[in-house]
Amino acid sequence: MAYARRRTLLAGAALGGAALLTGCSEDSGPERAEHSSAAERLRKRSARDSTTLLARYDATLAAHPALESRLRPLRSEVARHAEAFGDDRTSPSPGGASDGPPRDAGAPASGPSPHGDRPSGPPVPEDERAARSALADAERRLADVRTKALLAAPPELARLLASVAAAGAVHAYLLAERAG
């Protein structure tokens, strides 16, 4: 009987030690995942997408200055999103937003802006309502992209993506609202 208890005790200790070692190694797992090359690529792509969206806000503000009071708070949030993803190219004022990102975060299908003062910027519809609608579409598409990216993101980055996607959905709603 004593032999069986010793064997059970030794097996339990071995399993406990293995569980303890596994627990310790798992603690560094999420930390490693947050800094993996895939997570860094996702973070950089998300920063570029926010910077692209920021350029769309800047182009819309340049084409439609009357929308300033409505767009400025949303633009500021988008700039903070780019900073949260680690993009240091953002600025609080129009003009310093982007070096021409490689991905288009929701360019509208409209033609070039009749306000040819931003040849490298995204096209902006001539009508203010259409311009707001184009921004709303860009926000909505980017929120969808970020929501889909959640599946592959490590925990901390997934939380950030979820938060920014939710903010983008709210921005889309606010932009689509009728001006009152």
Side-chain angles (χ1 to χ4, degrees):
M1 188 75 130
Y3 178 70
R5 277 190 255 177
R6 254 185 273 161
R7 197 169 65 201
T8 303
L9 181 62
L10 287 174
L15 284 174
L20 182 62
L21 289 175
T22 302
C24 290
S25 67
E26 284 181 14
D27 285 347
S28 62
E31 181 64 28
R32 273 186 300 207
E34 291 295 331
H35 300 290
S36 70
S37 61
E40 289 304 314
R41 283 191 306 272
L42 179 56
R43 186 177 296 278
K44 285 180 183 179
R45 187 179 75 224
S46 297
R48 280 193 311 264
D49 289 346
S50 288
T51 302
T52 299
L53 186 58
L54 195 60
R56 294 186 61 72
Y57 272 92
D58 290 342
T60 303
L61 283 165
H64 301 287
L67 293 174
E68 172 88 22
S69 64
R70 188 170 191 151
L71 298 184
R72 186 60 58 187
L74 302 178
R75 186 217 178 269
S76 295
E77 287 296 315
V78 172
R80 281 194 277 281
H81 297 162
E83 290 170 17
F85 287 118
D87 190 346
D88 57 356
R89 295 178 300 167
T90 60
S91 71
S93 62
S98 173
D99 301 354
R103 250 176 60 118
D104 183 10
S110 65
S113 171
H115 309 280
D117 55 345
R118 281 191 63 110
S120 63
V124 177
E126 195 171 335
D127 177 60
E128 282 185 8
R129 188 173 186 167
R132 277 194 351 258
S133 180
L135 274 175
D137 290 345
E139 286 272 18
R140 200 173 297 111
R141 280 192 294 272
L142 187 52
D144 289 346
V145 165
R146 288 178 170 156
T147 301
K148 289 175 186 165
L150 290 173
L151 295 174
E156 287 299 317
L157 183 54
R159 283 188 273 280
L160 178 59
L161 283 167
S163 176
V164 173
V170 170
H171 290 183
Y173 172 78
L174 293 172
L175 287 164
E177 264 186 341
R178 289 184 63 121

